[in-house]
């Protein structure tokens, strides 16, 4: 049932863009920014909600707990897949500098779906990265030297926390590689994929400064 969220998210984001572009007469860049801001805010809120609801599982189960144990995280992941599929069209045509980021994000979501793990970790990844994205959107709406310095300061703090969280993920990967899967069930490639994509995601997000 959750997979219906993917086409619904794609249709919603596409519809918001068309309303902004054709209905309100906004330019392409402004229309895309509006849709992105909507996604940033909604995904951040849902990510924080998932983190709160499953807070007792974050320390041990975030990376390799079965996705179906965390329905809010799955809902967020499918919402994100729909959005990134929509936005990849825009990126491919107008804004190729974000293509690597989108490829890493979609790869992370796709492998999580295939392995049925890492959904909760992705929910935490989402709210942390979307906080930074909202900061960037706020800066774009108020471009000035002071706003840029403020953005860089807060963005740096969010990325330092993201680095800390990435170390937590890598620690969970190390645990299952060192001591075996234990209570978890996942494909043999999942820990290596989780570690590599987490490092890539951290690196890509760090380049936006």
């Amino acid at each position: 049932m959750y997979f219906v969220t993917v086409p619904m998210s794609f249709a919603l984001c596409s519809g918001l863009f068309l309303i902004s572009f054709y209905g309100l007469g906004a330019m392409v860049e402004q229309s895309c920014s509006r849709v992105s801001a909507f996604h940033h805010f909604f995904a951040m809120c849902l990510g924080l909600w998932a983190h709160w609801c499953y807070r007792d599982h974050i320390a041990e189960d975030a990376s390799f707990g079965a996705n179906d144990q965390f329905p809010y995280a799955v809902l967020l992941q499918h919402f994100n897949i729909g959005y990134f599929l929509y936005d990849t069209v825009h990126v491919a045509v107008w804004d190729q500098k974000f293509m690597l980021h989108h490829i890493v994000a979609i790869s992370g979501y796709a492998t999580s779906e295939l392995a049925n793990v890492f959904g909760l970790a992705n929910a935490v990844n989402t709210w942390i990265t979307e906080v930074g994205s909202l900061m960037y959107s706020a800066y774009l709406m108020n471009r000035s030297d002071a706003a840029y310095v403020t953005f860089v300061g807060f963005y740096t703090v969010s990325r330092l926390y993201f680095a800390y969280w990435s170390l937590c993920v890598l620690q969970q990967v190390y645990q299952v590689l060192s001591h075996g899967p234990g209570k978890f069930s996942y494909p043999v490639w999942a820990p290596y994929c989780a570690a590599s994509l987490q490092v890539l995601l951290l690196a890509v997000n760090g380049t936006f400064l």
Side-chain angles (χ1 to χ4, degrees):
M1 288 296 293
Y2 288 111
F3 279 104
V4 73
T5 306
V6 176
M8 287 179 63
S9 174
F10 183 91
L12 174 61
C13 293
S14 300
L16 290 174
F17 173 84
L18 294 174
I19 290 171
S20 178
F21 184 70
Y22 290 107
L24 302 179
M27 300 296 291
V28 168
E29 183 177 2
Q30 185 180 16
S31 298
C32 288
S33 295
R34 288 172 175 173
V35 178
S36 295
F38 162 76
H39 168 262
H40 297 329
F41 181 75
F42 186 83
M44 180 191 70
C45 291
L46 189 52
L48 285 168
W49 178 249
H51 192 148
W52 172 258
C53 290
Y54 311 124
R55 59 193 180 277
D56 294 336
H57 298 274
I58 295 292
E60 296 183 359
D61 302 336
S63 297
F64 299 105
N67 287 353
D68 50 23
Q69 295 179 357
F70 313 114
Y72 290 124
V74 174
L75 178 65
L76 172 60
Q77 182 152 286
H78 292 177
F79 173 74
N80 282 334
I81 292 173
Y83 166 77
F84 276 105
L85 290 175
Y86 145 82
D87 202 51
T88 297
V89 177
H90 162 75
V91 167
V93 176
W94 290 295
D95 210 358
Q96 290 85 2
K97 67 181 180 180
F98 290 107
M99 183 59 75
L100 177 60
H101 171 268
H102 282 37
I103 290 174
V104 171
I106 293 173
S107 298
Y109 298 137
T111 53
S112 173
E113 292 295 320
L114 288 172
N116 193 38
V117 296
F118 211 72
L120 184 54
N122 274 336
V124 180
N125 283 338
T126 295
W127 78 254
I128 298 173
T129 54
E130 296 305 346
V131 165
S133 297
L134 278 173
M135 294 175 186
Y136 183 65
S137 295
Y139 161 69
L140 290 179
M141 291 185 289
N142 183 30
R143 291 176 181 264
S144 67
D145 291 342
Y148 182 73
V149 171
T150 302
F151 157 68
V152 170
F154 281 106
Y155 190 89
T156 300
V157 171
S158 73
R159 268 32 189 182
L160 287 174
Y161 183 75
F162 192 33
Y164 163 76
W165 167 244
S166 295
L167 289 175
C168 294
V169 170
L170 294 177
Q171 184 181 31
Q172 292 180 15
V173 171
Y174 175 77
Q175 287 293 326
V176 298
L177 290 177
S178 300
H179 305 293
K183 64 180 179 179
F184 303 121
S185 177
Y186 52 80
V188 66
W189 49 265
Y192 305 99
C193 188
S196 58
L197 286 171
Q198 186 69 32
V199 171
L200 273 174
L201 187 60
L202 176 63
V204 169
N205 276 271
T207 64
F208 291 156
L209 288 176

